[in-house]
Amino acid sequence: MRRTALLLLVLAMLAGCGTTARRPAPPRLISGAVPEGYTAKVRLLAADMEQFAKRSPEFFQGIRDSASDGTIDILALSGGGASGAFGIGALTGLSRAHQRPQYELVTGVSVGGLLAPFAYLGPDWDDAMVRAFGGDHTAHLLGSPARTLLARLVFPLGNRHGALFRLVDGFVTPTMIEAVARENAKGRRLVIATTDLDKDETVLWDMGAIAARGGETARETFRDVLIASASVPGMFPPVLMHVQDGEHHYDEMHVDGSVTAPVFAAPLIAELHPESLSMLRGAHLYMIVNGQVHRFPRTTPVQTLPVLTASFAAGLTYKTREAITETIALSRQLDIRFVMTSIPVDYPQNSFVDFDPRSTLALYNYAESCAEQGKLWVTPEQGLRRNLTAHSTPPSGPPSCPTEDPAIVPRKP
C-alpha cells in the first residue's frame, strides 16, 4: 500500500511538470466555432439563449410532425457506467413485450449516450446493441482502477485507440449513420450531451445533423461525440474536438456529459423560454436512470480509490435527483406524462465501475424481466416511496421490480 501511495505521488508530480500539446480553446463563451464541414446547427451550448430561441421552433416542429399517431414519445437515458446494463435490459424487455413505442426524441448522456442510437433506431437494433456491449467488450473496459488512474496522471489524453475507442468505433458503422440520417430526415431527433471543460458547460449535439452530412467524416464525428460523452474523467481520456471559426482553428476538451448533466429531456435554458417547448405539450416522457437514486449506507474503505469512486457516485446521484425534480416541474408546465425507472435501492448493486460480466448480466436479466412483465415504469413519486420504504438490508436475492402495477403506463395498440 505504501509503495502504491508513493508511486501515485511521484507520478502526480511528474504529470504536473508537463503538458500535452493542443490548440487553444475558443476565446469566447458563445462562439461560432464548429467542427470542420458542419454548420452551427450541429450542436448547441446549453447556455446559449439566443441560438436556442432561434433554432428550437424548427427542431421541435420536426418532432411534432414525425409523431404519426399524434402523441410525442420522448426517451431520456442517463449516465451510470456499468449500470448501463440496466438500460439495455429495459429496452430489450420492452421490445419483447411489444411495449416500446417509436420515440420521436431520444436524449442520452454518458453510457446512456452510447445506448441512445440503438434506442433511437428501434427494436430491430436490439441484437446489435446486445452484441456491442456483451461478451468481453465491456468486461475489460477499465482494467485495474489503480493502473487506470496512474495512466491518466502520466498520459492525460491516453491512447486514442484505447478500450472505449475500440468499443464505440466497432458499433458506429456506416449502416448506423445512414439509418440515423434517414430517421432525422423524418423529423425525429437524437441528442447527446458532452461537457466542454474549457467552458464548464454542457454541449448538446444533434446527432441526426451529424449523420446527415454522410460519409466517413460523419461517422468519425458521431463516434467521437459518443466517446466524449462517456469519458469519465480520471477513468478515460478526454476527447479533443477540433473546431474552426473562419480562419481560426481551436481545440475543445470534452468529457463525460454527466459531469454537468446526468440526464435531461430539454436543455436547462428551456426554463427561461418555456414557450419554445409548447410543441411538446401532452407528450409521453420516459426516463431510464442507469443507477440508483437512493442507496443503503455502506462502509467506505479509508483508501484513495474507493473514496474517489464513492465521491463521484454520490455527486452523480445527487445531480440525477435534481434533474428528475426539474423534469417534474417541466412536465407539470406542459402537461407531459412523465414516468421513469431506476435500479431500486434494494437491488444488490456494486460500484458503477464494476464491469464484471456476472454483475452486468444479472442486472441486464433483472431489467429485461421487469420490462417484459410490464413492471418497469413508475411515477417519480411512486419510485421515491418504494425506495424510502424498502427494507434497510438488501435482500439475499433479486428484489421485486420497480413497480407492482403493470397498468401504470397505458400503451398504444
Side-chain angles (χ1 to χ4, degrees):
M1 186 64 190
R2 290 181 178 178
R3 293 177 60 187
T4 300
L6 179 61
L7 184 57
L8 276 170
L9 178 61
V10 172
L11 289 176
M13 294 172 63
L14 289 173
C17 295
T19 58
T20 300
R22 56 160 292 187
R23 297 185 183 98
R28 293 178 296 168
L29 174 63
I30 308 300
S31 162
V34 294
E36 185 175 0
Y38 296 94
T39 68
K41 290 184 177 181
V42 77
R43 64 183 187 168
L44 175 73
L45 189 72
D48 192 340
M49 292 187 292
E50 180 179 349
Q51 284 299 313
F52 178 77
K54 182 185 300 183
R55 289 155 50 183
S56 60
E58 178 185 358
F59 183 88
F60 291 115
Q61 186 62 55
I63 293 172
R64 170 63 69 184
D65 292 343
S66 67
S68 57
D69 60 0
T71 301
I72 295 174
D73 288 293
I74 303 170
L75 175 67
L77 296 159
S78 86
S83 298
F86 180 78
I88 299 173
L91 290 168
T92 56
L94 290 169
S95 296
R96 290 174 181 270
H98 304 289
Q99 294 292 308
R100 184 169 154 190
Q102 174 178 278
Y103 304 109
E104 281 71 44
L105 170 62
V106 177
T107 70
V109 184
S110 195
V111 69
L114 301 186
L115 306 185
F118 298 99
Y120 176 76
L121 293 176
D124 288 346
W125 283 74
D126 283 357
D127 289 344
M129 176 173 61
V130 172
R131 287 196 303 272
F133 298 97
D136 292 331
H137 292 156
T138 57
H140 305 292
L141 200 56
L142 276 180
S144 165
R147 291 181 181 177
T148 298
L149 180 59
L150 293 177
R152 294 289 74 77
L153 286 170
V154 180
F155 305 107
L157 287 179
N159 178 3
R160 178 167 173 77
H161 294 82
L164 181 59
F165 178 96
R166 292 193 298 270
L167 172 71
V168 181
D169 189 59
F171 71 71
V172 177
T173 62
T175 301
M176 173 179 279
I177 299 301
E178 292 166 4
V180 170
R182 283 195 301 271
E183 295 306 311
N184 179 71
K186 300 175 184 177
R188 298 178 61 224
R189 307 302 185 201
L190 171 61
V191 183
I192 302 298
T194 64
T195 296
D196 184 336
L197 281 186
D198 298 320
K199 295 184 177 73
D200 296 336
E201 289 287 349
T202 305
V203 179
L204 305 179
W205 296 82
D206 186 336
M207 305 303 280
I210 294 175
R213 188 189 190 284
E216 181 62 12
T217 297
R219 192 193 76 83
E220 291 178 356
T221 306
F222 196 102
R223 174 200 66 200
D224 289 349
V225 171
L226 293 185
I227 294 172
S229 184
S231 292
V232 180
M235 298 180 185
F236 300 107
V239 174
L240 289 181
M241 304 293 293
H242 304 297
V243 299
Q244 63 179 39
D245 180 5
E247 297 179 355
H248 304 287
H249 293 260
Y250 308 100
D251 283 343
E252 297 174 343
M253 182 175 286
H254 288 255
V255 298
D256 193 330
S258 293
V259 170
T260 51
V263 64
F264 69 99
L268 290 178
I269 201 67
E271 295 181 7
L272 301 180
H273 291 278
E275 70 283 353
S276 62
L277 300 178
S278 60
M279 281 179 277
L280 298 183
R281 185 170 296 279
H284 291 173
L285 169 59
Y286 307 85
M287 180 180 287
I288 297 178
V289 176
N290 292 299
Q292 294 171 310
V293 294
H294 298 90
R295 75 171 193 174
F296 292 132
R298 64 194 74 177
T299 301
T300 303
V302 187
Q303 298 172 6
T304 300
L305 285 176
V307 168
L308 287 175
T309 301
S311 299
F312 186 89
L316 179 61
T317 298
Y318 195 83
K319 286 190 295 182
T320 300
R321 291 181 197 166
E322 289 184 324
I324 292 170
T325 301
E326 292 165 357
T327 305
I328 292 172
L330 179 67
S331 299
R332 289 174 177 170
Q333 290 176 18
L334 298 174
D335 193 29
I336 291 175
R337 183 180 178 88
F338 173 35
V339 293
M340 59 174 289
T341 189
S342 64
I343 303 173
V345 66
D346 48 351
Y347 185 90
Q349 190 189 15
N350 293 320
S351 167
F352 75 100
V353 296
D354 178 15
F355 287 94
D356 185 306
R358 292 168 297 182
S359 299
T360 55
L361 179 60
L363 184 56
Y364 167 88
N365 288 335
Y366 167 75
E368 183 182 50
S369 175
C370 291
E372 281 192 90
Q373 297 175 60
K375 298 180 178 180
L376 185 69
W377 302 115
V378 296
T379 65
E381 295 80 6
Q382 287 171 322
L384 176 64
R385 185 163 56 250
R386 185 204 187 287
N387 282 339
L388 296 184
T389 58
H391 296 295
S392 60
T393 303
S396 57
S400 59
C401 291
T403 180
E404 291 301 314
D405 181 8
I408 183 174
V409 183
R411 289 304 318 134
K412 310 169 191 176

